[in-house]
Amino acid sequence: KGPIAAWTGNRDPGDEDIAYTDDPNTPIIIDTNEDTDSCTYRWDDDTTEYPMTQNGNRFTYSPSEGTTLPDQDGSYPVHITCIDSSGNEETTDLTIVLSREAPQLTITLPAIVNTNSVTATVTTENLPSDCYHKRQNQDDSAKTTLQSANGRLHTITINNLVEGPNAFEFWCVGSNSRASTRDQRTVTYQTGPLTITARSDMLAHSATPFIHVDTNKPAGCNYNLDSCGS
């Protein structure tokens, strides 16, 4: 077995060999096995192996000991090589993503429901993130984390809606530690009987009329309007 045990950083949930940061001076930290003698790192576009600072089983890339990330957002591959006391050598290829943008949220949430629960979906395609929601009148300590397997598609089922408008806030914190703006959304839980209102354009005489009706909450209506069901 080689000397590298693990490396730390804000990693992509979909690929543990990708880490995100918003600071070009962010260190790379490698945890190794007990008998590791030395570790070096090399950027993909460089031929120089820079030494890493050792502290027990942990080795750290320090910007003062070599080149830092360019001060430009992008993906930068780096190669880490460690050697143990028996001469075993191991190299791992990592990618550091420098990104100073905040997560961009796309929220899917119905405006009106006729049950007291609703499912919300948040996507953050530009950046893996942790996403949260809370009621607008709650403190941030009451926030709930949306579930996500890949850090980009997040879902949650919100229960116990009260009758009428329910106001929520959604926001995300990217793997680069940057937070999005807060997006406020309202879901109206409607109860009571379903009402149907015919639109005025149904009054026009036609052999093939269009049937247009409005309902006071989400409903499915049959083609001849004999009945509607919520």
Side-chain angles (χ1 to χ4, degrees):
K1 182 180 179 180
I4 298 176
W7 70 286
T8 63
N10 295 328
R11 285 183 273 185
D12 189 322
D15 188 340
E16 64 177 12
D17 290 334
I18 299 176
Y20 288 79
T21 181
D22 63 351
D23 181 1
N25 294 313
T26 298
I28 302 169
I29 301 173
I30 302 294
D31 289 329
T32 66
N33 298 325
E34 292 182 359
D35 60 349
T36 300
D37 281 345
S38 65
C39 292
T40 60
Y41 71 95
R42 176 179 63 81
W43 296 109
D44 200 45
D45 58 355
D46 195 351
T47 58
T48 304
E49 295 281 349
Y50 297 100
M52 301 183 75
T53 300
Q54 184 175 7
N55 182 8
N57 298 335
R58 174 163 287 186
F59 289 79
T60 304
Y61 141 75
S62 174
S64 63
E65 297 171 349
T67 59
T68 63
L69 291 174
D71 192 23
Q72 181 178 358
D73 285 9
S75 298
Y76 300 98
V78 61
H79 311 282
I80 308 292
T81 300
C82 294
I83 301 175
D84 65 19
S85 58
S86 300
N88 297 314
E89 181 177 295
E90 181 181 4
T91 298
T92 187
D93 299 325
L94 314 175
T95 297
I96 310 300
V97 179
L98 178 63
S99 174
R100 282 164 284 205
E101 65 176 351
Q104 298 171 8
L105 279 60
T106 300
I107 301 174
T108 302
L109 185 70
I112 300 174
V113 296
N114 55 14
T115 62
N116 69 345
S117 66
V118 65
T119 297
T121 301
V122 177
T123 56
T124 54
E125 290 293 342
N126 69 314
L127 200 64
S129 307
D130 292 320
C131 294
Y132 310 93
H133 99 285
K134 71 177 184 68
R135 290 185 180 270
Q136 282 190 15
N137 60 352
Q138 291 179 320
D139 186 79
D140 280 3
S141 60
K143 71 179 184 294
T144 301
T145 303
L146 280 68
Q147 295 187 359
S148 177
N150 59 10
R152 290 177 172 83
L153 177 62
H154 315 260
T155 60
I156 191 168
T157 298
I158 304 172
N159 298 308
N160 301 317
L161 299 178
V162 298
E163 186 175 354
N166 294 257
F168 300 98
E169 285 185 352
F170 293 86
W171 73 98
C172 299
V173 178
S175 294
N176 61 355
S177 301
R178 299 242 172 164
S180 70
T181 56
R182 300 200 176 201
D183 197 318
Q184 299 180 354
R185 296 298 175 95
T186 298
V187 179
T188 299
Y189 171 33
Q190 290 188 345
T191 61
L194 177 69
T195 61
I196 306 168
T197 305
R199 292 187 182 179
S200 59
D201 55 8
M202 288 179 58
L203 302 179
H205 296 289
S206 172
T208 57
F210 288 99
I211 300 174
H212 294 161
V213 297
D214 292 320
T215 60
N216 67 328
K217 55 184 174 179
C221 298
N222 67 8
Y223 72 97
N224 60 8
L225 296 182
D226 280 342
S227 63
C228 287
S230 57

